[in-house]
C-alpha cells in the first residue's frame, strides 16, 4: 500500500485551514460536548484533512460519534500494530459543526518502510496463505459476538430485590448490573470494530497490488476496467435485496401479489395477508425466514442511531416489493446478473493476459488475480455482520438505557439518550443507580432536558450549512491507493474542487468513471436517508454517497452520482453489480445540481452534464 503525503508544505492554492472554520453561532456549547480529542487545534492547520461524507454524510449527534471513535481506534491498530502496513498508519479525525474530517498518517522514511515491510510479510502473508480458514474463524467470532449482544440482560430496577436473589445470597443488587450491562454494551461495540478491520485492509491490499500491476503493465487501462475484473460478488451485503426479490416471486406464486401496492403501509399489508387465509400465512412464513437474519440491515450505513434496520421498520423493504412484483410480471429477470458480470470479467482477464509478453508476467498476473478473487468478497461482505447486524443491536441496547432514563425523568423521549456522549450516558446511569440505592431523587432530570433541547437544535442548524470538502494545505502527492480508490481523493480531484468556484457557469462536473453507460434523466438530490422515498422510476440519484443497503431503490433509478468515493467505493461497487451508470467522487454534485434538473451521466468518462 502506498503513502499519502498528508503533512506537505502548503501550495499557492489551498483549502481553508481548520482554525478558519467558525462554529455556527448559538451552537458553541453543543460543539464543546464532543470530547477534547475530537476537537481541532491550531496545530491541525499544518495538515491536510478531508470531509468524510462517505461514512458521515449528516451532522453527528454526540453519542453517534462513538462510531468514529471505535472505528478509527480499531483501524489504526490493524494498520499500525497488527499487520504493520509498510507506508500507511492510521487515521486521525476531528469534528466541527457535526461534520467529521479525517487525515491519514503516512510513513515516508525509507528505513522505517523497510523495517515495517519485513513485519508485514510475516503477518499479512500468513493471512493470505490461510485466508479461508481464518475467514471461517472470523465468521464464528462475529456470530458469537452477535449472540453475546442479543443475550445482554433486560434493564431492571425493582422496588425490592427479588426474594430468591436474597435467599440465594447473590450479594449484588440490581443497580450494579445496569453499569455492568452498559459497559459490556460499549465494550462489545469496540471489539466488533477490531473484527471489522481484521481482514479489510488486507482485502484492499490484495486488490491494490493487482491494480498497481495492471497500471504498469497496461498503461492505458482504466481504473474501471481493472475493477470489472473482480465484479460479480457473492457477498452477504447483497443478500437482503436478494431476499426481497425472492419474496416478490413468492407473492406472485401464492397469488397474493395484489396486496402489495405503492404507498400502502406495511402493517396494513400484513393484516390484510392474515385475512386471506393459507396463502397469506404462507407468504408471511417466508417473510419470517427472510427477516432472520437478512432484515438486520440498516437503511443507511449503520453509523447513525436513526438509521434503523428493516426489522425495526419494514417501510423500505415493503416499498420495494411492488416494483419487484411488477418487474417479474413483465418477465424481467429479478436477480442481479452475476453470470453476465462473471462472463465479462473472464473475457477481460483473458484479453489482458494475452497482452503480457512473458510467461513469468502471466504467472504473476494469474497469481494476483486469483488472490484478489479469493479475498475481495470480504470487502463488501463484512458490512452485513458489522455495520448493520451488530451495530443495530448496539444502538437498540442503548435505546433500552434511553427508555429507562426517560421513565425516570432524565429527558422526555428515549431517543434523547443519543444527545449525550457515551461518557455522559454512563454518568446518567450512575446517577440513577445512586438514587435508586439511597432512596433519593436522581439529579439528571434537572440537568439533561435543557441540554438535550439545545443539542437537538444544534443538529438541525448544522444540517442547514454546507462544509468545505477539504481543509488545510493541498498535498504535493497522494499515492495511497486506499485513499484514492475508497474516498476518491486524488491531486486532480482536489484541484478540481479548488477551481469549482472559479467556473460557476460550467455545466460539466467531473469525477471517477465508476460504472459505464450513458443516461439522461431528472436529477433527484438526496441528502439524507429520509429523502430516498422521493425517488421515482427513471430518476438519477445525486447524493453525497450511496450505500449497499439502498439496493431496493436501484430498480427505479437510471444512474447514480456521488460527491465522494473512488473506483472501489461502495457506491461504485454497487453500481457495477447492478449495471447502472455511475460517476463518483465529484466533490460538488449535490451543491451544483439542483433537484429536478435534467442531467446526463456518462459513467464511462466520469462526466456529469447539466442539461438545463
Amino acid at each position: 500500500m502506498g503513502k499519502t503525503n498528508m503533512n506537505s508544505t502548503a501550495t499557492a492554492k489551498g483549502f481553508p485551514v481548520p482554525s478558519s472554520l467558525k462554529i455556527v453561532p448559538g451552537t458553541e456549547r453543543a460543539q464543546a460536548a464532543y470530547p477534547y480529542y475530537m476537537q481541532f487545534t491550531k496545530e491541525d492547520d499544518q495538515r491536510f484533512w478531508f470531509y468524510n461524507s462517505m461514512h458521515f454524510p449528516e451532522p453527528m449527534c454526540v453519542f453517534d460519534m462513538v462510531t468514529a471513535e471505535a472505528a478509527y481506534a480499531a483501524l489504526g491498530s490493524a494498520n499500525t500494530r497488527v499487520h504493520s502496513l509498510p507506508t500507511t498508519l492510521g487515521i486521525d479525525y476531528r469534528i466541527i459543526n457535526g461534520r467529521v474530517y479525517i487525515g491519514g498518517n503516512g510513513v515516508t522514511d525509507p528505513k522505517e518502510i523497510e523495517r515495517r515491510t519485513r513485519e508485514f510479510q510475516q503477518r499479512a502473508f500468513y493471512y493470505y496463505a490461510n485466508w479461508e480458514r481464518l475467514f471461517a474463524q472470523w465468521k464464528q467470532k462475529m456470530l458469537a459476538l452477535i449472540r453475546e449482544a442479543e443475550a445482554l440482560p433486560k434493564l431492571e430496577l425493582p422496588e425490592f430485590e427479588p426474594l430468591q436473589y436474597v435467599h440465594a445470597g447473590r450479594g449484588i443488587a440490581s443497580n450494579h448490573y445496569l453499569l455492568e450491562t452498559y459497559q459490556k454494551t460499549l465494550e462489545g461495540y469496540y471489539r466488533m470494530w477490531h473484527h471489522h478491520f481484521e481482514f479489510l485492509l488486507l482485502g484492499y491490499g490484495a486488490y491494490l497490488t493487482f491494480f498497481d500491476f495492471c497500471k504498469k503493465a497496461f498503461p492505458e487501462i482504466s481504473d474501471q476496467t481493472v475493477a470489472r475484473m473482480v465484479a460479480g460478488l457473492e457477498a452477504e451485503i447483497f443478500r437482503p435485496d436478494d431476499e426481497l426479490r425472492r419474496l416478490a416471486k413468492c407473492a406472485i406464486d401464492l397469488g397474493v401479489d395484489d396486496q402489495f401496492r405503492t404507498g400502502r403501509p406495511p402493517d396494513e399489508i400484513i393484516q390484510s395477508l392474515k385475512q386471506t387465509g393459507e396463502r397469506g400465512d404462507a407468504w408471511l412464513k417466508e417473510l419470517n425466514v427472510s427477516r432472520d437474519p437478512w432484515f438486520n440491515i440498516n437503511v443507511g450505513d449503520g453509523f447513525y442511531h436513526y438509521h434503523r434496520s428493516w426489522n425495526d421498520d419494514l417501510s423500505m423493504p415493503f416499498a420495494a416489493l411492488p416494483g419487484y412484483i411488477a418487474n417479474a410480471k413483465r418477465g424481467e429477470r429479478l436477480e442481479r446478473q452475476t453470470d453476465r458480470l462473471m462472463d465479462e470479467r473472464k473475457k477481460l482477464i483473458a484479453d489482458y493476459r494475452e497482452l503480457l509478453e512473458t510467461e513469468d508476467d502471466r504467472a504473476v498476473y494469474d497469481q494476483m488475480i486469483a488472490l484478489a478473487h479469493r479475498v475481495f468478497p470480504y470487502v463488501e461482505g463484512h458490512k452485513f455482520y458489522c455495520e448493520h447486524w451488530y451495530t443495530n443491536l448496539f444502538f437498540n441496547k442503548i435505546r433500552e438505557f434511553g427508555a429507562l432514563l426517560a421513565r425516570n425523568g432524565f429527558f422526555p423521549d428515549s431517543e434523547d439518550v443519543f444527545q449525550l456522549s457515551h461518557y455522559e450516558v454512563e454518568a446518567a446511569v450512575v446517577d440513577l443507580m445512586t438514587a435508586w440505592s439511597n432512596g433519593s431523587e436522581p439529579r439528571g432530570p434537572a440537568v439533561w432536558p435543557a441540554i438535550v433541547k439545545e443539542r437537538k437544535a444544534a443538529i438541525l442548524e448544522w444540517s442547514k450549512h454546507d462544509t468545505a470538502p477539504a481543509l488545510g494545505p493541498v498535498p504535493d502527492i497522494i499515492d495511497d491507493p486506499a485513499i484514492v480508490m475508497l474516498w476518491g481523493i486524488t491531486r486532480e480531484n482536489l484541484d478540481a474542487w479548488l477551481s469549482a468556484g472559479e467556473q460557476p457557469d460550467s455545466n460539466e462536473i467531473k469525477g471517477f468513471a465508476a460504472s459505464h453507460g450513458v443516461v439522461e434523466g431528472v436529477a433527484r438530490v438526496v441528502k439524507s436517508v429520509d429523502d430516498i422515498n422521493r425517488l421515482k422510476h427513471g430518476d438519477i440519484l445525486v447524493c453525497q454517497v450511496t450505500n449497499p443497503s439502498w439496493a431496493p431503490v436501484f430498480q427505479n433509478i437510471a444512474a447514480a452520482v456521488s460527491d465522494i468515493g473512488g473506483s472501489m467505493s461502495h457506491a461504485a461497487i454497487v453500481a457495477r453489480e447492478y449495471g447502472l451508470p455511475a460517476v463518483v467522487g465529484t466533490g460538488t454534485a449535490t451543491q451544483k445540481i439542483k433537484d429536478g434538473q435534467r442531467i446526463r451521466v456518462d459513467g464511462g468518462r466520469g462526466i456529469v452534464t447539466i442539461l438545463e
Side-chain angles (χ1 to χ4, degrees):
M1 311 231 351
K3 60 184 180 298
T4 300
N5 186 1
M6 292 294 194
N7 302 311
S8 60
T9 305
T11 57
K13 184 188 292 185
F15 293 98
V17 294
S19 63
S20 71
L21 295 189
K22 304 301 180 186
I23 299 169
V24 174
T27 68
E28 292 83 1
R29 286 196 295 187
Q31 173 68 36
Y34 300 109
Y36 71 91
Y37 48 84
M38 298 181 185
Q39 306 279 354
F40 275 118
T41 65
K42 183 66 177 176
E43 289 73 22
D44 292 328
D45 286 357
Q46 307 305 312
R47 300 180 57 186
F48 172 71
W49 306 84
F50 62 92
Y51 173 35
N52 188 7
S53 61
M54 172 178 288
H55 296 119
F56 308 108
E58 303 164 51
M60 295 290 285
C61 296
V62 64
F63 186 91
D64 292 1
M65 274 303 290
V66 72
T67 62
E69 179 175 300
Y72 292 133
L75 182 152
S77 300
N79 284 11
T80 309
R81 312 294 178 185
V82 179
H83 297 302
S84 183
L85 272 63
T87 59
T88 304
L89 302 177
I91 287 177
D92 281 329
Y93 64 101
R94 305 286 188 266
I95 185 166
I96 185 166
N97 295 325
R99 309 292 186 172
V100 179
Y101 285 86
I102 61 177
N105 295 322
V107 181
T108 57
D109 178 57
K111 290 184 178 179
E112 180 63 11
I113 291 174
E114 183 180 350
R115 186 176 77 91
R116 292 184 64 82
T117 298
R118 290 194 297 270
E119 291 289 341
F120 177 77
Q121 289 172 343
Q122 298 177 73
R123 298 157 186 265
F125 288 7
Y126 181 84
Y127 263 73
Y128 290 142
N130 297 275
W131 189 269
E132 285 80 10
R133 176 178 64 81
L134 291 171
F135 185 46
Q137 179 179 301
W138 178 90
K139 278 193 176 181
Q140 293 307 310
K141 287 186 297 189
M142 270 308 304
L143 289 172
L145 192 63
I146 286 167
R147 300 310 174 204
E148 286 178 28
E150 291 174 335
L152 287 170
K154 295 293 183 183
L155 310 180
E156 297 177 338
L157 281 179
E159 181 181 5
F160 298 107
E161 282 295 299
L163 199 58
Q164 64 267 30
Y165 294 163
V166 178
H167 288 176
R170 185 169 76 165
I172 299 175
S174 295
N175 60 345
H176 168 77
Y177 291 104
L178 292 186
L179 182 61
E180 180 185 72
T181 300
Y182 180 74
Q183 291 174 339
K184 283 184 176 180
T185 300
L186 204 61
E187 185 277 330
Y189 193 58
Y190 277 76
R191 188 151 39 113
M192 180 276 288
W193 281 105
H194 282 272
H195 291 329
H196 174 281
F197 287 107
E198 181 181 352
F199 287 82
L200 185 59
L201 271 298
L202 297 180
Y204 279 125
Y207 172 77
L208 295 172
T209 302
F210 175 69
F211 176 89
D212 188 55
F213 176 90
C214 289
K215 283 293 188 177
K216 291 175 181 175
F218 320 113
E220 301 301 319
I221 197 170
S222 68
D223 294 6
Q224 185 183 142
T225 299
V226 184
R228 283 157 61 194
M229 293 187 191
V230 296
L233 292 176
E234 290 297 338
E236 287 90 336
I237 195 64
F238 297 110
R239 183 66 182 273
D241 189 46
D242 292 342
E243 288 296 308
L244 282 187
R245 298 163 192 261
R246 185 185 72 83
L247 289 172
K249 287 182 178 179
C250 285
I252 295 171
D253 292 343
L254 291 167
V256 295
D257 50 286
D258 60 330
Q259 300 293 327
F260 298 89
R261 297 189 294 275
T262 300
R264 195 178 187 193
D267 288 346
E268 183 179 315
I269 294 173
I270 290 172
Q271 288 303 317
S272 181
L273 285 168
K274 289 178 179 178
Q275 295 170 7
T276 63
E278 291 183 4
R279 292 177 299 133
D281 289 341
W283 190 89
L284 291 173
K285 184 177 179 180
E286 293 300 324
L287 172 65
N288 288 333
V289 170
S290 295
R291 291 184 73 167
D292 185 14
W294 303 113
F295 278 27
N296 289 301
I297 186 170
N298 302 313
V299 296
D301 210 5
F303 295 156
Y304 295 83
H305 72 270
Y306 48 83
H307 290 173
R308 305 300 297 271
S309 77
W310 290 3
N311 267 333
D312 290 344
D313 183 354
L314 290 168
S315 297
M316 178 177 277
F318 271 58
L321 284 169
Y324 283 153
I325 290 170
N327 290 344
K329 285 185 170 182
R330 286 194 295 266
E332 296 179 13
R333 181 175 172 180
L334 291 187
E335 298 84 0
R336 282 186 302 126
Q337 296 184 31
T338 307
D339 51 357
R340 178 185 61 80
L341 294 172
M342 294 289 284
D343 290 342
E344 182 182 69
R345 90 179 191 183
K346 287 178 183 176
K347 186 175 188 307
L348 284 172
I349 291 168
D351 289 348
Y352 277 96
R353 188 180 189 277
E354 288 301 312
L355 298 178
L356 295 169
E357 295 181 356
T358 70
E359 284 302 318
D360 286 345
D361 283 346
R362 293 189 185 101
V364 171
Y365 177 86
D366 292 343
Q367 185 179 29
M368 287 183 176
I369 190 62
L371 180 61
H373 287 162
R374 281 174 63 205
V375 306
F376 197 72
Y378 175 85
V379 171
E380 288 299 300
H382 76 281
K383 290 174 67 66
F384 175 73
Y385 297 98
C386 297
E387 283 98 321
H388 293 273
W389 195 352
Y390 192 89
T391 298
N392 188 62
L393 288 171
F394 169 72
F395 278 130
N396 279 347
K397 196 64 185 181
I398 298 301
R399 280 189 173 84
E400 291 182 30
F401 282 96
L404 178 67
L405 293 168
R407 286 198 300 271
N408 285 275
F410 279 66
F411 27 69
D413 190 285
S414 60
E415 293 292 295
D416 292 340
V417 70
F418 298 108
Q419 303 302 327
L420 281 61
S421 72
H422 67 80
Y423 301 107
E424 292 170 334
V425 173
E426 181 164 333
V429 168
V430 172
D431 177 13
L432 182 59
M433 289 166 55
T434 304
W436 180 85
S437 69
N438 61 27
S440 61
E441 292 297 319
R443 303 179 68 179
V447 174
W448 292 115
I451 293 174
V452 164
K453 184 178 180 180
E454 181 179 63
R455 292 179 185 174
K456 282 183 173 180
I459 292 290
L460 288 174
E461 187 61 34
W462 290 336
S463 68
K464 299 174 185 176
H465 298 261
D466 291 325
T467 195
L471 301 172
V474 178
D476 296 326
I477 186 172
I478 298 177
D479 57 1
D480 182 337
I483 297 291
V484 173
M485 291 188 177
L486 186 57
W487 279 282
I489 305 297
T490 65
R491 180 55 201 261
E492 291 75 19
N493 267 19
L494 294 180
D495 288 339
W497 294 359
L498 284 168
S499 61
E502 299 172 4
Q503 298 175 314
D505 296 328
S506 174
N507 68 333
E508 280 194 356
I509 304 169
K510 295 182 179 180
F512 278 92
S515 183
H516 62 85
V518 180
V519 167
E520 292 185 10
V522 175
R524 196 63 61 202
V525 181
V526 172
K527 292 193 174 182
S528 75
V529 172
D530 294 336
D531 292 334
I532 291 177
N533 58 11
R534 294 194 300 110
L535 288 164
K536 296 181 176 63
H537 188 77
D539 283 350
I540 295 175
L541 171 65
V542 180
C543 59
Q544 291 175 317
V545 63
T546 65
N547 186 279
S549 61
W550 292 9
V553 308
F554 279 32
Q555 64 174 318
N556 288 322
I557 64 174
V561 178
S562 72
D563 286 348
I564 199 78
S567 60
M568 295 310 294
S569 65
H570 301 306
I573 290 171
V574 173
R576 286 192 294 271
E577 291 294 316
Y578 285 89
L580 287 174
V583 177
V584 301
T586 62
T588 57
T590 58
Q591 297 175 36
K592 295 190 70 173
I593 298 173
K594 294 182 176 59
D595 193 76
Q597 280 185 318
R598 191 164 185 82
I599 64 174
R600 179 189 303 120
V601 176
D602 187 335
R605 297 168 59 217
I607 296 175
V608 181
T609 306
I610 301 173
L611 301 176
E612 295 179 351

